């Protein structure tokens, strides 16, 4: 079956603009995660969704970041008033069930965001 | 403070065994330790997962001591295609659940 897909693959935006990043998880996976990976760095947890429940927003770096998941499937990560430090690869992953415990996460290819 | 620690980089040669250790002092008591592999311009890919003692699959082994404060990923007889970044992932709890990836270990396998 299809894996996790993300769009766009690349996004260049001007500082101060809003951007939306999309993630389509694997069908039937109830948990969805967003991570950020800055150039040459590790993965930073941002947020995860468990089905239709309210998300765990504990990892969001600022109130300019928000995310939603419609119908327990597709998710959108929105960054408002983008800053240059937001430039990174944004990775989405899904797993069959949510933590705890940790289940295998399947990652998408990521969206490379560049803020100029 | 929830944190994982891994070596930044390692070098090896084809055919050798490679062991990468991750320390994670405050892991959730009932949670698994998971390792991922990442190639450039790709998302991470699951390698192996364990709770305690030893787990082995077709590509790697995972050793976890009784106190679970660390884990060691063992790659037997590495090849050039094993050149990648390896991350440990743990779930920390302490008022909230938080997923913490290690900073990653960049493994370079040489001919």
């Amino acid at each position: 079956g299809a894996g996790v897909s993300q769009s766009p693959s690349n996004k260049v935006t001007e500082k101060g603009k809003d951007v939306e990043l999309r993630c389509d998880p694997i069908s039937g996976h109830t948990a969805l995660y967003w991570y950020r990976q800055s150039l040459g760095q590790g993965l930073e947890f941002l947020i995860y969704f468990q089905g239709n429940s309210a998300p765990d927003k504990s990892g969001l770096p600022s109130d300019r970041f928000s995310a939603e998941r419609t119908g327990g499937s597709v998710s959108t990560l929105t960054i408002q008033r983008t800053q240059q430090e937001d430039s990174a690869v944004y990775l989405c992953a899904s797993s069959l069930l949510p933590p705890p415990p940790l289940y295998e996460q399947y990652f998408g290819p990521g969206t490379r965001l560049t803020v100029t | 403070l929830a944190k994982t620690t891994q070596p930044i980089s390692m070098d090896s040669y084809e055919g050798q065994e490679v062991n990468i250790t991750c320390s994670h002092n405050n892991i959730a008591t009932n949670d698994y330790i998971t390792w991922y592999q990442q190639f450039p311009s790709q998302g991470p890919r699951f390698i192996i997962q364990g709770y305690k003692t030893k787990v082995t699959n077709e590509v790697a082994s995972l050793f976890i001591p009784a106190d679970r404060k660390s884990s060691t990923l063992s790659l037997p007889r590495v090849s050039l295609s094993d050149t990648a970044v390896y991350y440990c992932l743990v779930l920390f709890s302490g008022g909230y659940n938080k997923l913490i990836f290690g900073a990653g270990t960049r493994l370079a396998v040489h001919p």
Side-chain angles (χ1 to χ4, degrees):
Chain A
V4 177
S5 61
Q6 294 185 244
S7 60
S9 56
N10 282 283
K11 176 72 176 180
V12 181
T13 190
E14 294 179 351
K15 177 182 174 181
K17 300 285 189 181
D18 297 351
V19 295
E20 285 189 353
L21 312 180
R22 176 187 168 106
C23 172
D24 280 276
I26 293 174
S27 177
H29 280 196
T30 61
L32 186 147
Y33 314 78
W34 283 98
Y35 296 90
R36 178 170 69 174
Q37 188 169 34
S38 300
L39 185 62
Q41 302 298 309
L43 288 90
E44 176 188 6
F45 167 73
L46 297 178
I47 189 171
Y48 89 86
F49 295 86
Q50 173 183 345
N52 292 321
S53 302
D56 175 352
K57 303 180 181 180
S58 60
L60 291 177
S62 79
D63 58 9
R64 296 186 295 105
F65 288 72
S66 63
E68 63 178 17
R69 188 178 185 191
T70 55
S73 181
V74 172
S75 177
T76 301
L77 177 69
T78 300
I79 309 173
Q80 296 178 313
R81 304 181 303 281
T82 53
Q83 304 295 312
Q84 288 187 329
E85 60 263 28
D86 299 333
S87 295
V89 175
Y90 289 82
L91 289 158
C92 174
S94 69
S95 65
L96 184 61
L97 295 171
L102 280 177
Y103 292 91
E104 179 178 350
Q105 294 180 42
Y106 296 81
F107 283 81
T111 293
R112 181 175 299 277
L113 175 66
T114 304
V115 182
T116 60
Chain B
L1 179 65
K3 182 180 177 181
T4 61
T5 303
Q6 302 177 232
I8 294 174
S9 63
M10 298 182 71
D11 287 273
S12 185
Y13 293 90
E14 286 188 290
Q16 290 190 334
E17 178 184 80
V18 172
N19 296 307
I20 305 173
T21 297
C22 176
S23 65
H24 29 75
N25 286 337
N26 299 315
I27 186 175
T29 55
N30 62 342
D31 219 297
Y32 289 92
I33 299 153
T34 313
W35 284 79
Y36 286 80
Q37 176 191 55
Q38 186 178 30
F39 296 110
S41 301
Q42 294 185 22
R45 184 178 68 175
F46 174 89
I47 301 174
I48 196 167
Q49 183 178 70
Y51 179 73
K52 62 180 179 180
T53 63
K54 177 183 176 182
V55 178
T56 298
N57 63 21
E58 63 275 10
V59 297
S61 294
L62 181 60
F63 299 91
I64 304 169
D67 65 8
R68 300 189 352 108
K69 292 184 177 181
S70 67
S71 60
T72 298
L73 172 72
S74 181
L75 304 173
R77 298 180 298 282
V78 294
S79 64
L80 296 178
S81 62
D82 293 318
T83 294
V85 180
Y86 293 83
Y87 296 94
C88 62
L89 170 65
V90 300
L91 176 67
F92 288 93
S93 64
Y96 59 88
N97 291 330
K98 190 168 184 177
L99 294 164
I100 301 289
F101 268 92
T105 299
R106 189 173 300 274
L107 173 66
V109 180
H110 305 281

